[in-house]
């Protein structure tokens, strides 16, 4: 490691060790530090370009080196976390139900891991993967699916009667968690994806292209699962026949993206998840969510004070 | 160093306020429970000590404020008027005269008795004692019952208004009831004793003295001593008992050309003490209700929603809704909260979802970032 790389590592490590970032996931930490460097560039530039640090380097080069170092350090904690999620938290036996034939789980896990590595190699993919990572590591899917299967109302009907998933509750959780991991694959197959920059919604044509490529790249993944994962990025407003798992995963992913474990709930404020669902109900058209699902999830969060 | 001394002195003042509240209660309770005069005397002395302490405290505060040109600000906005009313008038009208009566001996009261009615003096002193209740406001001022400055000001305002209204109503009523001669227990007591004495003096003309005294003492249970030309002709108890149990204000003295009469008026003092304890408890309860019930209610229904909205406006990643209780949903503050929840937050989420560039890190967090 060169002297400059060591200096960069020391600098980034100091930023990462800030206590305010303690409860964030690795990708959220990365996002915070990148924003910090952008917002404070005017103050950082004179010192970092001085003799004591990176003499002779332009701010552009220094910034690039710091971002590269940041990614290396983040990946060191991110990949073990992803592996843990894949190998310990998700059971891929549900794939056999979807394919109607047995597939070796290890092979599927390996292929999904490779795909995730590709996803997080792009800046947009990294940013987007944060929600999936949070949702699985905080077991957000588990508690809502439990409530869905206890209440047997709209979402349960959509999953079991409309989408006709012949799966147990645990298998549905695994399918949604896998969809969450695969969802940002749209960033792998195209840099120009016709994505609405504000709502994150993609077009159906683009979604179909991604599905096609994904099925070719990872033949172990059943078509139903691939569609469920990729179409999370479609708007329910425009596609009324969107699978229930896609609609549900889209909502959970967005909520998990804004999840903050250390959030202090002030007296007089609603709980974080109840607040999120309540706001989402007002923005459902904009983000292309299923309002009936939001209503039901809002009710669960309010009843359980989540 | 100076602020440390100031904090130390302020702490002593707080302790003194707590202690004087206990002393105020005990002074009345001692009368009600019939505690010995020696113990009640200690309570009168401590009362004087507290009145002196608070008078000095007020004088220092007002002098200090005047030196800074903030005399009226301290007296009016700083509630210096409470400090004043709960100190100097009490020293001059209450504990001062009581202390003077004790150190000059019973003769002072007897002398006064010739000119004024002792019960009237005791009553005047008791009226001044009502001002002591204002000291509860002094302790209330010291308690930081909520984090919000606005909540503290409003609770302090409503508490001061209600307690002051109660105390001044009592004070004015007590003064006016004396001026317009409303029927009182004291007058009834005195009139009864004057009638008894008159009856005794009539009887003594037709009966012998011993029989008249015996009949009078049997009939009048409150009669303690009768003297004829300076010689005691009747006493209900011996002298050591009088000196242990009775203090100035515990007996009423009447004098004619030949006879002197001493009556026990402790029962009257007990009635007055009962009223005083009742007033004290009303004030304490009112303050406690404001502090324990109304203060959290105010915080919950006014300052908490404001705080939630303020954080939402200031912090880009704080998007918690204002919790709107069904019971208060028509309150202006919750109508505003509903607008915040329904209009502002959804727009904010749409805006912040697309724009990056907000971070919880600050350059000030990193003292050693460049070391």
């Amino acid at each position: 490691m060169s002297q400059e790389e060591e200096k960069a590592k020391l600098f980034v490590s100091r930023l990462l060790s800030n206590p305010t970032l303690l409860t964030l996931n690795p990708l959220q930490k990365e996002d915070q530090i990148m924003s910090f460097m952008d917002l404070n560039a005017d103050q950082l530039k004179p010192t970092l370009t001085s003799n004591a640090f990176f003499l002779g380097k332009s701010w552009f080069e220094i910034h690039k080196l710091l971002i590269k170092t940041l990614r290396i350090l983040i990946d060191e904690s991110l990949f073990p976390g992803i592996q843990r999620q894949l190998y310990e938290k998700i059971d891929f036996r549900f794939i056999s139900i979807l394919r109607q034939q047995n597939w070796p789980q290890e092979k599927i896990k390996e292929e999904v891991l490779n795909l995730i590595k590709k996803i997080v190699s792009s800046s947009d993919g990294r940013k987007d993967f944060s929600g999936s990572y949070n949702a699985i590591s905080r077991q957000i899917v588990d508690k809502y699916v439990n409530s869905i299967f206890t209440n047997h109302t709209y979402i349960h009907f959509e999953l079991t009667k409309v989408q006709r998933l012949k799966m147990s509750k645990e298998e549905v959780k695994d399918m949604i968690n896998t969809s969450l991991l695969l969802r940002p694959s749209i960033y792998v197959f195209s840099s120009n994806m016709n994505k609405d920059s504000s709502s994150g919604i993609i077009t159906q044509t683009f979604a179909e292209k991604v599905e096609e490529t994904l099925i070719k790249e990872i033949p172990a993944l059943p078509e139903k699962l691939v569609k469920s994962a990729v179409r999370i990025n479609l708007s329910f407003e425009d596609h009324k026949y969107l699978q229930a798992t896609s609609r549900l995963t889209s909502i959970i992913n967005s909520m998990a993206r804004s999840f903050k474990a250390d959030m202090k709930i002030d007296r007089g404020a609603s709980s974080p998840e109840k607040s999120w669902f309540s706001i989402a109900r007002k923005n459902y058209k904009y983000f292309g969510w299923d309002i009936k699902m939001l209503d039901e999830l809002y009710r669960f969060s309010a009843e359980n004070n989540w | 160093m100076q602020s440390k001394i100031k904090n130390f002195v302020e702490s002593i003042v707080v302790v003194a306020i707590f202690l004087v509240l206990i002393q105020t209660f005990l002074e009345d309770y001692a009368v009600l429970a019939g505690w010995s005069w020696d113990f009640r005397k200690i309570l009168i002395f401590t009362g004087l000590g507290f009145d002196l302490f608070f008078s000095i405290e007020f004088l220092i505060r007002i002098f200090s404020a005047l030196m800074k040109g903030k005399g009226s600000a301290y007296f009016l906005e700083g509630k210096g008027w409470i400090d004043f009313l709960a100190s100097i008038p009490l020293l001059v009208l209450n504990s001062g005269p009581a202390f003077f009566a004790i150190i000059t001996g019973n003769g002072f009261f007897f002398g006064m008795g010739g000119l004024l009615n002792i019960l009237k003096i005791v009553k005047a002193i008791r009226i001044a004692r009502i001002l002591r209740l204002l000291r509860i406001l002094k302790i209330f001022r010291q308690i930081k019952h909520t984090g919000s400055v606005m909540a503290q000001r409003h609770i302090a305002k409503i508490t001061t208004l209600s307690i002051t209204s109660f105390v001044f109503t009592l004070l004015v009523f007590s003064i006016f009831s004396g001026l317009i001669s409303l029927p009182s227990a004291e007058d009834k007591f005195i009139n009864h004793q004057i009638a008894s004495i008159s009856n005794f003096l009539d009887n003594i003309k037709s009966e012998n003295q011993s029989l008249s005294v015996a009949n009078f003492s049997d009939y009048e249970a409150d009669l303690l001593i009768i003297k004829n030309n300076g010689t005691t002709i009747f006493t209900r108890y011996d002298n050591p008992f009088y000196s242990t149990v009775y203090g100035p204000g515990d007996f009423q003295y009447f004098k004619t050309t030949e006879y002197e009469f001493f009556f026990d008026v402790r029962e009257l003092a007990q009635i007055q003490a009962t009223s005083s304890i009742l007033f004290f408890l009303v004030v304490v309860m009112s303050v406690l209700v404001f502090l324990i019930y109304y203060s959290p209610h105010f915080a919950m229904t006014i300052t908490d929603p404001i705080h939630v909205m303020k954080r939402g406006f200031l912090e880009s990643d704080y998007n918690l809704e204002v919790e709107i209780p069904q019971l208060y949903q028509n309150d202006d503050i919750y109508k505003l909260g509903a607008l915040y929840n329904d209009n502002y937050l959804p727009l904010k989420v749409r805006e912040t979802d697309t724009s990056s560039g907000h971070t919880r890190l600050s350059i000030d967090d990193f003292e050693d970032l460049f070391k």
Side-chain angles (χ1 to χ4, degrees), chain A residues 14 18 20 32 39 43 47 53 198 257 260 262 266-270 272 274-275 278-279 282-283 287, chain B residues 299 304 307 311 317-321 323 342 346 350 353-354 357 359-360 363 365-366 368-371:
Chain A
R14 277 185 182 152
N18 190 284
T20 56
Q32 288 283 313
L39 289 170
Q43 285 155 283
T47 315
F53 282 88
S198 53
R257 243 169 57 194
K260 287 174 195 70
D262 60 343
D266 293 297
R267 205 176 50 182
S270 294
K274 186 183 165 195
S275 291
S278 176
I279 297 165
K282 289 146 201 162
N283 278 337
F287 290 107
Chain B
D304 287 353
H307 176 73
R311 278 196 74 184
D317 59 352
Y318 186 91
N319 295 329
L320 298 187
E321 285 195 327
E323 186 78 37
D342 297 341
R350 287 190 213 177
D353 208 61
T354 56
T359 176
R360 50 173 78 181
I363 196 102
D365 294 339
F366 300 97
D368 60 347
L369 196 57
F370 300 114
K371 284 178 188 166

Side-chain angles (χ1 to χ4, degrees), chain B residues 88-359:
Chain B
I88 293 172
L90 283 162
L91 183 69
V92 174
L93 299 170
N94 178 230
S95 57
F99 173 76
F100 193 59
I102 293 167
I103 57 160
T104 54
N106 293 350
F108 169 75
F109 262 81
F110 296 154
M112 290 290 283
L115 303 169
L116 290 163
N117 190 310
I118 289 172
L119 291 178
K120 295 272 183 192
I121 297 164
V122 172
K123 193 179 176 185
I125 289 172
R126 286 207 165 270
I127 289 170
R129 276 169 58 84
I130 292 168
L131 291 171
R132 285 187 175 192
L133 299 173
L134 290 174
R135 283 179 180 157
I136 293 168
L137 292 175
K138 274 169 75 90
I139 193 79
F140 181 82
R141 201 170 51 185
Q142 306 287 338
I143 301 168
K144 296 279 174 276
H145 43 90
T146 162
S148 159
V149 176
M150 183 179 78
Q152 282 184 18
R153 192 183 67 245
H154 279 273
I155 307 300
K157 194 84 159 178
I158 189 95
T159 312
T160 307
L161 277 173
S162 55
I163 303 303
T164 310
S165 305
F166 178 71
V167 168
F168 276 90
T169 307
L170 282 180
L171 195 68
V172 170
F173 182 80
S174 301
I175 293 166
F176 274 88
S177 66
L179 289 178
I180 60 174
S181 301
L182 283 177
S184 70
E186 291 90 347
D187 289 339
K188 196 178 167 190
F189 209 81
I190 290 164
N191 292 337
H192 170 76
Q193 286 163 353
I194 289 171
S196 299
I197 291 166
S198 174
N199 197 29
F200 167 74
L201 294 174
D202 287 345
N203 288 343
I204 211 161
K205 287 172 192 165
S206 54
E207 295 170 1
N208 70 45
Q209 185 176 270
S210 303
L211 186 64
S212 294
V213 167
N215 287 338
F216 189 25
S217 61
D218 283 348
Y219 168 71
E220 197 58 68
D222 291 327
L223 181 69
L224 294 174
I225 300 168
I226 304 174
K227 286 185 177 181
N228 184 6
N229 294 319
T231 309
T232 304
I233 55 170
F234 169 78
T235 180
R236 197 171 292 277
Y237 308 108
D238 55 16
N239 280 342
F241 183 81
Y242 287 130
S243 59
T244 309
V245 177
Y246 290 84
D250 287 341
F251 50 87
Q252 169 78 333
Y253 173 72
F254 294 95
K255 193 178 179 189
T256 61
T257 46
E258 279 181 82
Y259 293 94
E260 293 169 83
F261 303 90
F262 295 81
F263 286 90
D264 187 344
V265 291
R266 286 178 304 161
E267 199 184 323
L268 198 60
Q270 283 173 340
I271 293 166
Q272 288 163 341
T274 308
S275 301
S276 294
I277 287 176
L278 177 68
F279 300 151
F280 179 82
L281 291 178
V282 166
V283 172
V284 169
M285 272 306 289
S286 305
V287 171
L288 286 178
V289 166
F290 283 126
L291 206 66
I292 294 165
Y293 172 73
Y294 186 67
S295 178
H297 173 78
F298 186 92
M300 200 183 80
T301 54
I302 306 288
T303 52
D304 287 353
I306 291 174
H307 176 73
V308 172
M309 287 187 269
K310 191 176 84 182
R311 278 196 74 184
F313 286 127
L314 288 173
E315 297 171 35
S316 58
D317 59 352
Y318 186 91
N319 295 329
L320 298 187
E321 285 195 327
V322 173
E323 186 78 37
I324 299 176
Q326 210 175 354
L327 189 62
Y328 307 118
Q329 61 182 335
N330 291 323
D331 286 10
D332 291 342
I333 192 75
Y334 286 117
K335 283 183 178 171
L336 180 67
L339 285 172
Y340 170 84
N341 290 350
D342 297 341
N343 298 346
Y344 175 73
L345 281 180
L347 281 172
K348 183 188 170 192
V349 165
R350 287 190 213 177
E351 182 63 27
T352 49
D353 208 61
T354 56
S355 65
S356 59
H358 51 85
T359 176

